[in-house]
Amino acid sequence: MEYRSRSIYKSTSIMISAILFLSLIHTSHCFYLPGVAPEDFQKGDPLKVKVNKLTSIKTQLPYSYYSLPFCSPKKIVDSAENLGEVLRGDRIENSPYVFKMREPQMCSVLCRITLDAKTAKQFKEKIDDEYRVNMILDNLPLVVPIRRLDQGSPTVYQLGYHVGLKGQYTGLPCMLTFSDYVQSKEEKIFIHNHLAFTVKYHKDPQTDSARIVGFEVKPYSIKHEYEGKWSENTRLTTCDPHTKRTVVNSNTPQEVEANKEIIFTYDVEYQESDVKWASRWDAYLLMSDDQIHWFSIVNSLMIVLFLSGMVAMIMLRTLYRDISKYNELETQEEAQEETGWKLVHGDVFRPPSNSDLLCVYVGTGIQFLGMVLVTMIFAVFGFLSPSNRGGLMTAMLLLWVFMGIFAGYASSRLYKMFKGTEWKKISLKTACLFPGIAFVIFFVLNALIWGQKSSGAVPFGTMFALVVMWFGISVPLVFVGGYIGFKKPAIEDPVKTNKIPRQIPEQAWYMNPIFSILIGGILPFGAVFIELFFILTSIWLNQFYYIFGFLFLVFIILLITCAEITIVLCYFQLCSEDYLWWWRSYLTSGSSALYLFLYATFYFFTKLEITKLVSGMLYFGYMLIASYAFFVLTGTIGFYACFWFTRLIYSSVKID
């Protein structure tokens, strides 16, 4: 029985998620918990249709729905938004559409407007930039179903419908789409002024109540006609429910020009569906190209197996042989003939230059690792449902703030090992360096968005809330972690450090620091670049990404790859008697962020159609922040892997 009480639904959700997680591990797909309790509707119950932002993949600048002179209710009411929604640019408001459950409507007139030069220009600009209207019904986004040409392929859903289209109309008797136009020098702008809504519902045969499981639309452009003067009771000749005449094509589209009137109308059709409420998001999250994700996993696993083989060879053959050889040396003469990595035992744990900065970056990396790991686990369990708009971003921000205690602990522990004494200074740097740089870039980008009068601009109140979270919660937690970490006993080096630094011999060309660092970043990037394509597509092409099962596996592979490539290159470095491994271990795996940014640049020029300067600056600004964060995360993983490796091998040999 699908319909249960709300209390039973909530009490069983955790158990359901645990059971489904086991199947997730087997299939690597991701599921979701619906996120909100279901709402039952009786026949005739009013349905609240809400409007969201206008979005465009060409400009990446969202705008409020009522920034265009659409039909509006008597009083516009904003819905409560969480932090993530505000940062995404969502602006959810009420609408003038009147829906009643399971009561179809035909040719309902919404309003009639006459365009002046200013409003006509606004519509033309938004249509030219291919803006889409986003709407919400019972927490479901409005979608346009697009059927693929090949038989048997599932229907694809486009989020939102286009405000209008441009081109020269050819008079084809079908729904107005881009293919209905022949591009010419004198293009005309047409607006979608008739919407044919389809509300799908799942009915409970026992109670006759129903739940909404789908919200679709087919937009049309039609120049409505009527007889006589316009009044509230005027009947349209192009769309009249009394004569059963409805809009089925766009033979006479509505052009957008100054001093022309536009009549907005809509139909509402209700269809019973076999889809249950708990599965209503499945169609939106349909992943038809899962083979390429499996290819990504196999590709990444091949890299991991290759690196694991090299690490195993180093650990089991070379290191075992070296350690056995070193421990069997009996005479002083033999001891003086030691070679390879043992030669630098007196310098390998010498504190590096700019050790304070290294401590700060390592602490920040631990903060990122904790945030990403916990977020990923919650997403895999299905707690970050797509129905909870902004939930993912809100969760990541809150986790980042509360992970500050681990950042402070990690940085101060390393700082004390380097014989540092001013733990408060290192804690302050840890709390402010990365967030400060990211905030400055974000503030500049936000000012650019504000200049475009976009709803994507973060309001002053939200900006103030972010600063309060930073200095009111994150900074104190970093200091708490720093205090706890500094009070712990210092980490002891397995070997003593000489007072006089050893001279590093001339290195082969392939052991040049820049070359080895750049080589080290290729494999970690290679493990994630296929999945990165889908993430970028989700962010910049306004599509759903909800395959966290695959993403979690790729993330684990990334951790292993970063650790293993750093260990391999660190071993080769020590064997060539170069003991300056601290920063190089961090930069080796961290250099994968450079390839990430280069790939983002390639993606911009090959996949996106952004032409405006501000939109391009937004793209590269946000990708710069993402690449910087990726650098800190992967660098920290490589550093700790190398830190563990060096302590392990130098604690295994006898040194006089």
Side-chain angles (χ1 to χ4, degrees), residues 404-570:
I405 190 169
F406 298 104
Y409 179 85
S411 60
S412 64
R413 286 282 283 163
L414 192 60
Y415 179 68
K416 190 171 184 180
M417 192 188 78
F418 290 150
K419 306 298 187 289
T421 56
E422 300 178 357
W423 69 271
K424 294 179 182 177
K425 183 179 74 173
I426 209 70
S427 296
L428 182 62
K429 288 182 179 179
T430 304
C432 296
L433 181 63
F434 179 87
I437 294 173
F439 187 82
V440 167
I441 298 174
F442 175 74
F443 187 83
V444 172
L445 296 178
N446 194 63
L448 293 174
I449 301 173
W450 196 279
Q452 297 294 312
K453 299 179 181 179
S454 167
S455 68
V458 177
F460 175 78
T462 306
M463 192 77 76
F464 181 74
L466 291 175
V467 174
V468 169
M469 288 175 62
W470 178 10
F471 287 100
I473 304 175
S474 181
V475 173
L477 285 177
V478 172
F479 272 86
V480 170
Y483 175 80
I484 296 172
F486 198 76
K487 285 298 181 182
K488 290 274 188 178
I491 301 172
E492 296 291 335
D493 295 332
V495 291
K496 292 182 179 180
T497 302
N498 296 335
K499 293 182 179 179
I500 302 174
R502 177 188 177 88
Q503 185 176 0
I504 300 173
E506 187 176 349
Q507 301 292 303
W509 66 269
Y510 52 83
M511 291 307 297
N512 179 277
I514 296 177
F515 180 78
S516 62
I517 286 170
L518 292 177
I519 289 296
I522 293 176
L523 291 181
F525 171 76
V528 300
F529 85 97
I530 295 179
E531 210 62 38
L532 180 64
F533 170 81
F534 292 97
I535 295 173
L536 291 178
T537 301
S538 169
I539 296 172
W540 300 108
L541 294 182
N542 201 25
Q543 296 180 13
F544 282 118
Y545 182 91
Y546 207 74
I547 43 178
F548 289 108
F550 282 118
L551 188 61
F552 185 71
L553 288 177
V554 171
F555 179 68
I556 297 299
I557 291 172
L558 174 67
L559 299 184
I560 298 171
T561 308
C562 288
E564 291 184 339
I565 189 63
T566 310
I567 289 174
V568 170
L569 294 179
C570 180

Side-chain angles (χ1 to χ4, degrees), residues 563-581:
E564 291 184 339
I565 189 63
T566 310
I567 289 174
V568 170
L569 294 179
C570 180
Y571 174 75
F572 291 151
Q573 179 187 348
L574 294 176
C575 285
S576 62
E577 301 178 24
D578 183 357
Y579 54 84
L580 301 177
W581 63 272

Side-chain angles (χ1 to χ4, degrees), residues 218-414:
K218 288 183 179 179
Y220 297 92
S221 179
I222 181 168
K223 186 177 182 180
H224 283 302
E225 298 176 355
Y226 55 90
E227 296 177 354
K229 291 186 177 181
W230 178 263
S231 67
E232 291 185 0
N233 300 320
T234 299
R235 289 168 57 174
L236 301 175
T237 58
T238 49
C239 183
D240 189 358
H242 299 86
T243 59
K244 302 296 182 181
R245 181 172 184 177
T246 185
V247 177
V248 293
N249 56 52
S250 299
N251 285 335
T252 54
Q254 175 65 58
E255 188 178 350
V256 178
E257 284 294 340
N259 302 319
K260 284 193 174 183
E261 68 173 12
I262 300 177
I263 300 173
F264 289 90
T265 56
Y266 66 98
D267 302 334
V268 185
E269 179 188 359
Y270 292 89
Q271 289 183 4
E272 188 169 356
S273 172
D274 294 331
V275 177
K276 295 185 177 181
W277 183 87
S279 304
R280 64 179 187 166
W281 279 86
D282 289 359
Y284 304 117
L285 307 179
L286 177 67
M287 184 183 59
S288 58
D289 49 1
D290 57 345
Q291 288 185 350
I292 195 168
H293 293 278
W294 281 117
F295 173 76
S296 171
I297 297 293
V298 173
N299 167 65
S300 303
L301 285 175
M302 291 300 102
I303 295 174
V304 169
L305 288 175
F306 169 71
L307 288 174
S308 299
M310 292 192 67
V311 172
M313 182 182 69
I314 290 171
M315 300 293 286
L316 297 178
R317 286 189 57 191
T318 312
L319 281 178
Y320 180 76
R321 184 190 64 201
D322 289 349
I323 292 170
S324 300
K325 175 184 171 184
Y326 294 152
N327 289 340
E328 289 172 2
L329 294 176
E330 296 178 354
T331 66
Q332 180 113 13
E333 291 78 12
E334 289 175 317
Q336 289 176 352
E337 293 175 1
E338 59 191 30
T339 57
W341 54 268
K342 190 185 177 187
L343 269 175
V344 294
H345 66 80
D347 298 276
V348 73
F349 292 106
R350 188 181 303 281
S353 58
N354 298 315
S355 58
D356 288 11
L357 186 61
L358 180 63
C359 296
V360 169
Y361 273 118
V362 168
T364 306
I366 290 295
Q367 190 173 7
F368 261 113
L369 181 62
M371 178 198 74
V372 173
L373 202 58
V374 175
T375 302
M376 205 82 72
I377 291 172
F378 272 95
V380 166
F381 271 107
F383 290 104
L384 297 177
S385 168
S387 63
N388 182 16
R389 284 173 303 278
L392 179 62
M393 189 172 291
T394 304
M396 292 180 71
L397 277 172
L398 292 176
L399 284 170
W400 165 264
V401 168
F402 289 111
M403 288 294 167
I405 190 169
F406 298 104
Y409 179 85
S411 60
S412 64
R413 286 282 283 163
L414 192 60

